[in-house]
Amino acid sequence: MKKELDKSKASIFDEKTDPKKVNSAVVGDSDVDFKLVRNGTAPKLRDAKLLVHYEIGESNKELSLRITANDKDGLFSREILPVKQVAGCLSKQPKGAVFSSSIFASVFTKRSSNNAGFLAAILRAEKVLQPVEDKLYQHKLVIDPKDLEKHLSK
């Protein structure tokens, strides 16, 4: 189900934002087009009452995602993340291994300390990862990384 993004919570919107440029995004420091497929929200790892907002779409003919906002504290990068790069991080994890969010740090050009955790929260919401019991910031891979693009395209 496609959700409409609440512009009051979305950090990509401000009084200077040109509504015609809402689908423009940043990859590193370059502006590129981003064709929105769907958006969603994910409970934060530390406080499930607070949400991370994200979009899944197409950029440069590749399935990509981007973090667009979060409900409270925490800086993050708005850059577009090609799903292939995320799958590359996941493919390095042995089957059944427990790992932390830090494996996603290499996907980001910008270095906010929240980026990797917010991405992990999104992947949990998308049923790619599952939490590890009694370990708040640890995850297990639920799907084959080769199927990540197909899984997120649903």
Side-chain angles (χ1 to χ4, degrees), residues 81-100:
L81 307 173
V83 170
K84 285 181 183 176
Q85 288 182 5
V86 177
C89 289
L90 293 171
S91 67
K92 296 173 186 170
Q93 302 308 307
K95 188 172 184 171
V98 172
F99 55 90
S100 72

Side-chain angles (χ1 to χ4, degrees), residues 114-128:
N114 294 317
N115 287 342
F118 285 2
L119 178 55
I122 291 166
L123 294 175
R124 280 187 183 184
E126 291 288 335
K127 308 288 189 236
V128 173

Side-chain angles (χ1 to χ4, degrees), residues 30-138:
S30 308
D31 285 335
V32 297
D33 288 330
F34 185 84
K35 182 182 173 190
L36 181 66
V37 173
R38 64 185 172 86
N39 53 30
T41 57
K44 286 187 174 184
L45 300 179
R46 186 175 28 155
D47 185 350
K49 295 175 191 159
L50 299 174
L51 301 174
V52 174
H53 302 259
Y54 62 96
E55 296 176 337
I56 296 176
E58 203 173 285
S59 177
N60 295 326
K61 299 183 182 182
E62 286 188 301
L63 188 65
S64 302
L65 62 87
R66 66 180 172 185
I67 304 166
T68 56
N70 85 81
D71 281 354
K72 198 172 179 185
D73 300 326
L75 298 175
F76 60 91
S77 173
R78 294 175 187 87
E79 65 195 280
I80 294 173
L81 307 173
V83 170
K84 285 181 183 176
Q85 288 182 5
V86 177
C89 289
L90 293 171
S91 67
K92 296 173 186 170
Q93 302 308 307
K95 188 172 184 171
V98 172
F99 55 90
S100 72
S101 306
S102 64
I103 69 156
F104 300 116
S106 65
V107 175
F108 293 90
T109 305
K110 309 291 184 190
R111 297 291 175 205
S112 169
S113 61
N114 294 317
N115 287 342
F118 285 2
L119 178 55
I122 291 166
L123 294 175
R124 280 187 183 184
E126 291 288 335
K127 308 288 189 236
V128 173
L129 303 178
Q130 68 182 27
V132 175
E133 192 172 335
D134 298 325
K135 295 190 179 187
L136 188 60
Y137 301 106
Q138 300 286 302

Side-chain angles (χ1 to χ4, degrees), residues 5-22:
L5 192 60
D6 180 353
K7 291 181 183 179
S8 68
K9 292 182 182 175
S11 59
I12 61 170
F13 298 96
D14 61 24
E15 63 279 349
K16 297 176 189 172
T17 301
D18 179 351
K20 295 175 190 164
K21 299 235 179 197
V22 168

